[in-house]
């Protein structure tokens, strides 16, 4: 006797959404942003001005955590765009959980630059006290995805997801991490709980990125 196949409902639980885009004004603002960053770097009295997790960072310069608050036209324009971008991302992800017609307004609460030189890296970490974070690849230098040189690596938050591998677990990506290609002008937005690192960078040119944390409120 033949029976009907049972209906199977798919439930997507515990996903970790990441978003990638390119800054449309990158070519126009790149040199102004780099000039401001290098001027700021020359004024630093220590390599890691933020004084945050200094032992996790090597051969890189990090600004204080208020970089995007500077009174500079290029930085002000970048901040405006980034806050709009984060607001759009938060609205898309949270739409099923917000009141109808609600919109998210993002505020960048912390921001800094990294100038990473030959041999530099940033160990595994996450960002507390915020909901969404981002990395803007201003000048990735000689960073390269194929060689895993200076890439940002994001780690699977499901602790035991890679404890067994067969054909049935192929959807888990099997490797336990995700590496982003360091493309100039690219912006990666990710939830703050995701642990990530900047793998060792080797190159003659500096690897320059701008990173930021944000909080979102309903309007």
């Amino acid at each position: 006797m033949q029976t009907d196949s049972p209906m199977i409902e798919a439930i997507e639980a515990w996903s970790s959404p990441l978003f990638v885009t390119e800054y449309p004004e990158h070519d126009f603002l790149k040199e102004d942003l780099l000039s401001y960053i290098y001027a700021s770097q020359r004024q630093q009295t220590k390599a890691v001005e933020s004084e945050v997790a200094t032992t996790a960072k090597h051969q890189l310069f990090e600004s204080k955590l208020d970089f995007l608050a500077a009174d500079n036209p290029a930085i002000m324009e970048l901040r405006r765009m980034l806050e709009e971008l984060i607001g759009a991302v938060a609205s898309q992800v949270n739409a099923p959980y917000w009141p109808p017609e609600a919109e998210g307004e993002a505020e960048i609460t912390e921001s800094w630059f990294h100038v990473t030189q030959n041999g530099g890296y940033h160990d595994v970490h996450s960002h507390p006290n915020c909901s969404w974070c981002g990395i803007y690849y201003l000048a990735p230098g000689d960073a390269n995805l194929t060689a895993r040189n200076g890439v940002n690596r994001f780690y699977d938050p499901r602790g035991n997801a890679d404890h067994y591998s067969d054909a049935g677990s192929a959807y888990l990506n099997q490797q336990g991490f995700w590496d982003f290609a360091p493309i100039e002008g690219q912006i990666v937005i990710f939830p703050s709980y995701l642990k990530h690192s900047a793998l060792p960078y080797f190159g003659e040119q500096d690897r320059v990125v701008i990173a930021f944390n944000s909080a979102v409120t309903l309007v």
Side-chain angles (χ1 to χ4, degrees):
M1 179 178 178
Q2 185 175 3
T3 60
D4 294 334
S5 298
M7 184 177 67
I8 301 175
E9 177 186 2
I11 299 175
E12 295 291 338
W14 304 304
S15 64
S16 293
L18 292 87
F19 298 83
V20 183
T21 188
E22 293 186 9
Y23 184 26
E25 300 298 323
H26 173 77
D27 291 338
F28 181 69
L29 295 179
K30 175 185 174 181
E31 294 306 320
D32 288 342
L33 291 169
L34 283 174
S35 295
Y36 190 92
I37 286 173
Y38 280 118
S40 299
Q41 179 191 342
R42 288 192 293 269
Q43 295 177 6
Q44 292 187 194
T45 58
K46 58 189 73 173
V48 181
E49 282 282 328
S50 70
E51 299 185 345
V52 175
T54 56
T55 59
K57 302 160 187 173
H58 177 72
Q59 202 65 12
L60 63 79
F61 290 87
E62 180 177 277
S63 68
K64 293 182 179 179
L65 302 182
D66 60 354
F67 175 70
L68 289 175
D71 186 16
N72 173 276
I75 292 176
M76 293 169 66
E77 174 58 25
L78 176 61
R79 180 186 181 115
R80 181 197 64 77
M81 188 283 303
L82 290 175
E83 289 182 334
E84 286 187 0
L85 176 61
I86 298 165
V89 163
S91 296
Q92 176 179 331
V93 172
N94 291 288
Y97 311 100
W98 286 353
E101 309 303 324
E103 294 184 2
E105 184 175 273
E107 177 186 3
I108 291 177
T109 55
E110 294 178 317
S111 55
W112 59 98
F113 65 72
H114 277 172
V115 177
T116 306
Q117 298 177 333
N118 188 50
Y121 62 84
H122 190 336
D123 247 336
V124 182
H125 62 288
S126 59
H127 296 188
N129 303 318
C130 59
S131 57
W132 290 93
C133 311
I135 301 169
Y136 170 34
Y137 294 97
L138 183 60
D142 299 310
N144 181 276
L145 177 62
T146 302
R148 296 301 189 265
N149 178 24
V151 302
N152 283 107
R153 172 167 290 180
F154 292 83
Y155 298 89
D156 193 333
R158 301 164 300 179
N160 292 323
D162 61 352
H163 71 151
Y164 178 77
S165 177
D166 67 8
S169 63
Y171 73 98
L172 293 174
N173 204 27
Q174 297 187 9
Q175 57 190 5
F177 60 83
W178 187 274
D179 292 342
F180 271 95
I183 299 173
E184 182 172 319
Q186 180 173 273
I187 300 168
V188 179
I189 305 291
F190 56 95
S192 62
Y193 64 82
L194 277 185
K195 289 189 175 182
H196 57 286
S197 64
L199 298 187
Y201 170 70
F202 300 98
E204 296 182 1
Q205 304 179 70
D206 290 341
R207 174 189 183 275
V208 184
V209 304
I210 297 171
F212 49 91
N213 297 334
S214 66
V216 179
T217 55
L218 290 180
V219 295

